[in-house]
Amino acid sequence: MKLGLIGLPMSGKTTIFNALTGANRPTDVAVPGKIDVQIAVVNVPDPYLEPLAEIFNPRKIVPAQIAYADIGGLAKGISSGGLSGPFRNELNQMDGFLHVARAFEDSNIPHPDGSIDAQRDLDTLDTEFLLADMMVVERRIERLKEELSKGKDRAANTRELEQLERLQASLEAETPLRELGIPPAEQRALRGYSFLTLKPKLVLVNIGEEAQPTEAFVSVEGQHDRPLAIQGELEAEIAQLEPEEAADFMQEYGITESVRDRVIRASYDLLHIQTFFTVGDDEVRAWPHPIGATAQEAAGVIHSDLQRGFIRAEIIPAPDLIELGGLAEARQVGKLRQEGKEYIMQNNDVMTVKFNV
Ligand SMILES: Nc1nc2c(ncn2[C@@H]2O[C@H](COP(=O)(O)OP(=O)(O)OP(=O)(O)O)[C@@H](O)[C@H]2O)c(=O)[nH]1
Ligand SMILES: [Mg+2]
């Protein structure tokens, strides 16, 4: 899973990336219009991984991970004529976006538009993404019409044309494709286009030093998904401290949860994912997987062989296993459940897959 930090120049993307990943990337270096990407992988904090490891004493403990990409260079006007190849390639690879907007006041950092207005800035980049998608749709529609005029693949091409014309109407009405409620199967069919406005997006408002949400933050609160308010620079400083010092610092500033924890949790919500565990002497491991996945689909997250040869799964919630102290103990008291292919995975299930290939 990979999420891209996007936003207008100087909104605080790199600052928040540093806070989130503990990186120490220099700020103020991106050139508007020139793509500049840095990726960091973050371990997902998990209350059950350590206690499970204590039971199994495995050679390896593998936490779930999320990659975050700091994507510099996006700016107003960038989509006129279509997004350039390098931008498209990078943005296509993202599973979703964290859209950073500036709400901090700082006279040393003049805003190119002369004032601080987070909603305006969000709209500016949203419009660029709408335009970028519109160009993709238009080009494809043109192409399909050409093919149809030659009488090629009439049925399939007509179906695709109708679908794309629906998407085009939505984009022209400035409605991002993610808001259309397109069913998952149809979304999968659209994957080849990598529509930017179809990808899930969460707004992060950089409120700077203000402990109280600023005007600019309040003005974006009505957004579709509730934005996160982040004190960018402060959080980036905290991320550089030793854990004990960081705790003192956070207490002093009334910060109850680090930006890393908050954003990771929000990322899970955004991507509709949850965790299951596999356990054993070899490794204890956390696996992110889509909420609603069946046991067989979840087995496929581990390895395609396990999905193909799936027979059944032994399941127990992680807290129960930790309390009981082991799989044998759990089996003894009848807490280790046998589940079939269609079982819907619950958050924090421990799964052992029985399979045959
Ligand atoms: N006062 C204040 N300044 C901040 C805060 N967050 C970021 N800045 C400053 O704002 C400037 C831009 O921050 P960056 O993190 O470089 O922003 P960016 O979005 O990565 O910018 P580009 O990569 O140039 O597009 C830097 O000088 C930061 O130090 C904040 O919370 N408060
Ligand atoms: Mg930057």
Side-chain angles (χ1 to χ4, degrees), residues 293-297 307 310-313 339-344:
T294 62
Q296 188 174 22
E297 286 162 349
Q307 182 164 14
F310 185 96
I311 300 169
R312 65 192 155 80
E339 299 284 0
K341 291 179 186 178
E342 302 299 327
Y343 169 72
I344 303 294

Side-chain angles (χ1 to χ4, degrees), residues 7-16 26-31 36 70 72-74 100 104-106 109 206-209 230-234:
L8 291 186
M10 306 294 275
S11 49
K13 300 178 294 294
T14 301
T15 303
I16 290 175
T27 53
D28 298 348
V29 290
V31 180
D36 166 66
D70 174 14
L74 288 168
V100 179
F104 65 88
E105 303 273 353
D106 188 334
I109 304 162
N206 187 3
I207 59 172
E209 288 66 35
I230 293 178
Q231 295 173 275
E233 203 145 77
L234 193 62

